[in-house]
Amino acid sequence: MTIDSKKRLAGLRLRSVGLALLVTLSGFNLSQSQPPMFKDVPATHWAKDYIETLGNMEILSGFPDGTFLPDEPVTRAQFATIVNKAFLSASSSEGSPEASQAFADVPADHWALDAINATRTSAFLFGYPGNLFRPEQNISRVQTLVSLVNGLNYTGGSIEALPYYKDAKDIPDYAKAGAATASAKGLVVNYPILNQLSPNRQATRAEVAAIAYWAMTQSNSEIATLAQSPYRVPPQPSAWQDTPIGILPVVTKQIGISRDGARIVTLSAATDKRDRTEDEPVFSIQVWNVNTGELIAEKEPEAEAWFSAIAISEDGKQIATISTTGSNADPANEISLWVWNIDKTTDTENTPVRQRLGTLRPQPNQPLQPPSQLVDAFTPTQVLFRPGDNAILTQISLTEQTPVERQLRLHNSATGEVLQTLTPTPDAILTQFAFSPDGGVLAARGNTSDSNSSLIDLWQRSRNEKAFTLRAEEGTDLSLVGMGFAHTGTFKTLEQSNTQARLSTWNPQTAAPLEQPRILNPIDRQDSQHRFSSDGISVLTSGPVAGPRILNTHTQTATPLAIGPTTLANSVFSPDGRYLAVATLNNVQIFSNETSAPRRQ
């Protein structure tokens, strides 16, 4: 059988069974009010949705007593049957000379004879010397991965990425290329430790369900995708280009980027300073088209006002800012949230949303800072769109009383109305914020002003009080210097000291560690400004010794960026993780990985 004909047959099978997925599978955690399909696979089982999905599709089945036995091993004959149902048509073994060449140890009345012949013909499974199949032999985890890679004709991946698995040395030589391809395709599911492959351990029924499911999603776009499991190894990203795909002639301290990388917002010197003095620069909000390098829109502050924080929505259609109105001579300055629709053309359509946030007053015997000093990417003033663009997060500092009062709130992006007021750790100065991909968890990193100890607060949606607080390990000189959510839903933290840097992975719903912390050797002790991409694998870092570069935390390799000897003012990855915008002291440079379409040179 040719590869093309095999794929057509697989597609027919997948299209017929894929319809069952489209009915109920809108997320990884199905409603717990539904009774479980199998009595030994409860709602809390890590592979429940994979097992029930393949059960509904009649690719896997349980036992007469209502059990599934998820931890039982899978024989080669059983795996051949699963592959046959999932990827091959009932007639795939007909008309091929090889189909009649039975294995010496598979008699004509064997219950899995047809499936075994079909998987042999289609290159999913091969025999052993002496024309043996060994149908009752339990299949190993790495053998399941190699089988799917071979049978589905997958390519890609690099064995250089295999050191991500802490037991990579246990991968047999014959399976290394297949394991690397399976990793690159996102087929690998490791429970309970994400970076432990256990290649030679017997595959369980639950693990085969998970691996087969992700292979099916790769083979047919009509298969509905479950939400990411924290135990699925993210597909290996393509290499980042070391030269920029676009350069914007603008100097900015703050920057935002849309999901598709097509629009960038900056806080830059205004084109019209009106009545301002040269000593007090005016910073305007500018929106740029990355494809053409053109300025799409510009918003200048009102008279005697200045902007101190900016954000752009994921779809690139809205911008938000925090504005302070007043002067150094005015003892009370008003702080407001403003939201504009970029694509609206008339003044009526483009009437901004405005929500008053509070009043900024100088503390006793202290003058108010000039506007130019307040426009800083790392001040406590923050604004950020929540994924879905239906809410905006703001943080401001109010000095109407001593000590300073910091307010953290969520607003309706259409009206500015306050939806929630969030309470962080007392006396915490939070400087970095991030939402999980579904907007269900908010994380904020900072320090406490009393002890200067680093921490990360996490809130779950619809809860005002924080759910968890993560701190650097006691008894060490480590500090929490970076954080980010992966598209799998896991939460990453980066700790750094004078001697080491290490990466930890957490379940943001329970604050439980999902794996042992991993040392990141490419990070220098003088590196700073760590930024995570949304795949949770790439980290942008920069320092006076090694310069700016993107680290692949799986492969422990670094891609130096050809920015030149300059300091990074700020940086941000696009929400889809494919683009990176870097603000230098001279311009804004945009980088992409190799799977991204080329943009303006």
Side-chain angles (χ1 to χ4, degrees):
M1 178 185 297
T2 66
I3 291 175
D4 288 341
S5 62
K6 178 177 66 179
K7 287 185 175 179
R8 283 196 295 271
L9 290 171
L12 290 173
R13 172 62 184 170
L14 287 172
R15 281 193 289 274
S16 65
V17 300
L19 295 177
L21 287 176
L22 300 176
V23 179
T24 59
L25 300 180
S26 59
F28 190 82
N29 294 317
L30 301 179
S31 173
Q32 296 188 9
S33 62
Q34 299 176 358
M37 178 179 292
F38 304 106
K39 63 183 182 181
D40 59 345
V41 184
T44 56
H45 194 282
W46 70 269
K48 169 185 174 290
D49 289 337
Y50 298 131
I51 292 169
E52 292 195 351
T53 296
L54 269 65
N56 284 325
M57 299 167 65
E58 299 182 351
I59 292 173
L60 291 176
S61 60
F63 297 91
D65 63 351
T67 62
F68 181 77
L69 303 181
D71 298 323
E72 287 294 305
V74 177
T75 66
R76 285 170 54 82
Q78 291 169 341
F79 186 73
T81 302
I82 294 170
V83 167
N84 189 50
K85 290 181 177 180
F87 302 102
L88 303 173
S89 73
S91 61
S92 63
S93 62
E94 298 177 1
S96 170
E98 294 180 341
S100 61
Q101 298 176 3
F103 288 102
D105 56 347
V106 183
D109 60 349
H110 192 281
W111 66 272
L113 175 66
D114 290 340
I116 291 172
N117 285 341
T119 53
R120 181 189 199 184
T121 301
S122 54
F124 278 92
L125 289 171
F126 299 99
Y128 293 90
N131 193 33
L132 300 177
F133 183 77
R134 300 178 184 174
E136 303 310 315
Q137 176 180 292
N138 293 331
I139 195 166
S140 69
R141 283 172 46 83
V142 77
Q143 286 172 347
T144 65
L145 297 173
V146 172
S147 169
L148 295 175
V149 166
N150 289 340
L152 296 172
N153 196 37
Y154 287 158
T155 59
S158 169
I159 61 174
E160 299 299 323
L162 291 179
Y164 164 73
Y165 303 110
K166 63 182 183 180
D167 53 355
K169 66 181 188 315
D170 298 330
I171 302 175
D173 289 341
Y174 82 87
K176 287 181 178 178
T181 299
S183 296
K185 288 292 184 180
L187 307 188
V188 182
V189 181
N190 294 333
Y191 175 86
I193 301 175
L194 190 65
N195 68 330
Q196 182 170 316
L197 184 62
S198 301
N200 302 312
R201 178 172 56 75
Q202 296 173 350
T204 67
R205 286 165 57 81
E207 290 170 336
V208 168
I211 293 170
Y213 169 78
W214 287 114
M216 292 169 66
T217 63
Q218 292 282 334
S219 301
N220 192 310
S221 60
E222 295 180 12
I223 298 295
T225 302
L226 297 172
Q228 298 282 2
S229 164
Y231 306 110
R232 181 199 183 199
V233 176
Q236 298 291 339
S238 301
W240 283 87
Q241 299 178 10
D242 59 359
T243 56
I245 60 169
I247 298 178
L248 300 177
V250 59
V251 177
T252 179
K253 285 189 174 182
Q254 292 195 34
I255 190 170
I257 188 169
S258 63
R259 169 172 286 277
D260 59 4
R263 287 183 173 181
I264 283 179
V265 62
T266 62
L267 191 55
S268 314
T271 56
D272 179 12
K273 294 187 177 181
R274 295 192 303 273
D275 297 329
R276 308 297 179 105
T277 65
E278 291 296 328
D279 295 333
E280 189 177 335
V282 178
F283 291 91
S284 69
I285 299 172
Q286 298 174 345
V287 183
W288 302 82
N289 184 319
V290 177
N291 294 319
T292 64
E294 296 176 340
L295 182 63
I296 300 174
E298 182 173 19
K299 301 292 182 183
E300 294 189 358
E302 296 179 329
E304 296 188 341
W306 61 92
F307 298 134
S308 54
I310 55 170
I312 189 168
S313 61
E314 287 195 346
D315 61 8
K317 295 181 179 180
Q318 289 182 300
I319 53 174
T321 185
I322 293 179
S323 172
T324 303
T325 302
S327 66
N328 291 341
D330 188 345
N333 292 343
E334 183 177 304
I335 305 176
S336 299
L337 167 68
W338 294 80
V339 185
W340 285 275
N341 290 312
I342 301 173
D343 294 333
K344 302 299 183 180
T345 56
T346 68
D347 292 339
T348 303
E349 291 179 319
N350 204 17
T351 301
V353 173
R354 181 182 183 186
Q355 176 69 33
R356 185 179 181 278
L357 300 179
T359 303
L360 178 67
R361 298 176 183 271
Q363 294 193 35
N365 302 320
Q366 291 186 3
L368 186 67
Q369 285 185 317
S372 59
Q373 294 185 25
L374 288 178
V375 182
D376 193 299
F378 305 104
T379 62
T381 302
Q382 301 281 345
V383 62
L384 179 68
F385 280 90
R386 186 170 66 187
D389 303 329
N390 59 353
I392 297 174
L393 177 76
T394 64
Q395 179 186 246
I396 61 171
S397 298
L398 301 177
T399 55
E400 296 186 9
Q401 56 186 2
T402 303
V404 174
E405 177 188 4
R406 294 183 177 88
Q407 294 191 356
L408 188 61
R409 291 172 285 199
L410 276 172
H411 303 261
N412 184 309
S413 62
T415 65
E417 175 189 1
V418 176
L419 302 175
Q420 285 180 274
T421 298
L422 306 177
T423 304
T425 295
D427 208 25
I429 302 174
L430 303 176
T431 57
Q432 182 187 7
F433 295 85
F435 281 103
S436 61
D438 62 358
V441 180
L442 168 67
R445 182 181 63 86
N447 297 282
T448 54
S449 59
D450 55 349
S451 62
N452 201 35
S453 61
S454 58
L455 58 85
I456 295 175
D457 283 340
L458 292 101
W459 291 266
Q460 294 174 352
R461 196 162 187 167
S462 302
R463 291 183 58 181
N464 296 337
E465 298 294 329
K466 66 181 185 296
F468 307 104
T469 296
L470 301 177
R471 298 181 184 271
E473 183 178 347
E474 294 185 3
T476 70
D477 60 349
L478 291 165
S479 295
L480 288 162
V481 297
M483 67 172 192
F485 287 93
H487 55 56
T488 59
T490 59
F491 183 60
K492 307 280 187 175
T493 60
L494 182 62
E495 296 175 287
Q496 187 176 5
S497 69
N498 288 330
T499 59
Q500 66 172 313
R502 67 183 191 181
L503 180 71
S504 298
T505 303
W506 309 82
N507 182 332
Q509 300 293 338
T510 64
L514 296 177
E515 61 181 18
Q516 293 296 319
R518 290 187 287 119
I519 303 299
L520 296 183
N521 294 319
I523 289 186
D524 184 81
R525 65 181 182 177
Q526 298 186 60
D527 285 341
S528 61
Q529 300 186 28
H530 309 294
R531 295 287 186 271
F532 280 87
S533 67
S534 63
D535 58 14
I537 299 174
S538 300
V539 177
L540 173 71
T541 189
S542 182
V545 176
R549 60 208 187 281
I550 299 177
L551 309 180
N552 185 312
T553 60
H554 280 191
T555 63
Q556 296 274 359
T557 58
T559 302
L561 300 182
I563 294 178
T566 184
T567 301
L568 302 189
N570 209 335
S571 58
V572 62
F573 283 94
S574 63
D576 67 2
R578 297 188 302 151
Y579 299 96
L580 167 67
V582 176
T584 75
L585 298 182
N586 303 308
N587 50 38
V588 172
Q589 302 187 24
I590 299 95
F591 296 84
S592 75
N593 60 40
E594 65 184 10
T595 62
S596 305
R599 293 188 180 275
R600 176 175 177 264
Q601 299 298 320

